Amino acid sequence: SQQGEEDPQALSIQEGENATMNCSYKTSINNLQWYRQNSGRGLVHLILIRSNEREKHSGRLRVTLDTSKKSSSLLITASRAADTASYFCATALANAGGTSYGKLTFGQGTILTVHP
Amino acid sequence: GAGVSQSPRYKVAKRGQDVALRCDPISGHVSLFWYQQALGQGPEFLTYFQNEAQLDKSGLPSDRFFAERPEGSVSTLKIQRTQQEDSAVYLCASSFRAGQETQYFGPGTRLLVL
């Protein structure tokens, strides 16, 4: 079963515009990760944000995490045609007093299309 | 090889046939995960290994699915008596330590059961 829900399911923008994708989840987490998947390929890790962090940047990527609302957003600035892909958020659940090995629960993804 | 590799990349099987999917994790990575990704969906967890120990197999859909990692490196996911609903991409991921770490994914094996 999927913990996360992503919004929107599909996003179409022009090159140079910003793209924002949102992710909501249901249970307490240790961290949240964003991945990109090009058609027919494996997942590429983009960024990891821990539950005690609120914002992280990596190049043109900005991720926010609001644990009170159980939500996260991924912002891609100055988008390029090469950013066209599916984007997934994935959560690693918080420890329940024992060892948590980091099993990921994925959302259904947002399909981003960037037009040249 | 710097990344996770999987073989074969594509597999077509007749219903009822057994298949074996291989994963070579990044050298030295303790944790290894298998996920199943249906068309248009996000990946779903199947099973987890810490070195050679299979610590969680709660995501395996039936007893036709079996995974092993006998020497704590290469892993094989075996599906017996394949069914059409087994058609999916099978992804392998590894991480350096046990715990809350970034996972590095292989390219996946696309399985089509006819």
Side-chain angles (χ1 to χ4, degrees), chain A residues 60-72:
Chain A
R60 293 183 296 113
L61 306 180
R62 172 180 171 250
V63 168
T64 62
L65 179 65
D66 186 335
T67 53
S68 67
K69 295 181 180 178
K70 292 187 167 58
S71 68
S72 174

Side-chain angles (χ1 to χ4, degrees), chain A residues 1-2 30-31 33 35 37 40-43 45 48 50 88 92-93 95 100-104 106-108, chain B residues 9-10 31 33 35 37 40-45 48 56 58 91 98-103 105-107 110:
Chain A
S1 62
Q2 312 250 322
N30 176 282
N31 68 72
Q33 303 181 36
Y35 287 84
Q37 185 175 42
R41 303 228 177 152
L43 292 153
H45 181 261
L48 181 154
R50 300 198 183 276
F88 293 92
L93 298 184
N95 288 341
S100 177
Y101 55 81
K103 171 175 92 172
L104 293 176
F106 284 83
Q108 294 200 338
Chain B
R9 291 293 313 278
Y10 304 93
S31 293
F33 300 81
Y35 294 87
Q37 186 176 23
Q41 303 292 314
E44 294 205 0
F45 170 80
Y48 166 69
D56 188 342
S58 62
L91 295 164
Q100 308 289 357
E101 297 283 335
T102 296
Q103 294 182 25
F105 281 79
R110 186 176 297 272

Side-chain angles (χ1 to χ4, degrees), chain B residues 27-106:
Chain B
S27 178
H29 277 199
V30 166
S31 293
L32 187 146
F33 300 81
W34 284 98
Y35 294 87
Q36 180 190 58
Q37 186 176 23
L39 189 64
Q41 303 292 314
E44 294 205 0
F45 170 80
L46 293 177
T47 188
Y48 166 69
F49 289 87
Q50 187 176 114
N51 296 308
E52 69 279 2
Q54 188 175 21
L55 297 187
D56 188 342
K57 53 183 179 179
S58 62
L60 296 177
S62 76
D63 59 7
R64 296 185 295 103
F65 286 70
F66 171 76
E68 60 183 5
R69 192 186 186 198
E71 297 178 358
S73 55
V74 171
S75 177
T76 304
L77 176 66
K78 298 179 180 177
I79 309 173
Q80 297 176 323
R81 304 181 303 281
T82 52
Q83 304 294 314
Q84 286 186 325
E85 61 263 29
D86 300 335
S87 296
V89 176
Y90 290 86
L91 295 164
C92 175
S94 69
S95 64
F96 180 60
R97 296 179 297 186
Q100 308 289 357
E101 297 283 335
T102 296
Q103 294 182 25
Y104 297 91
F105 281 79

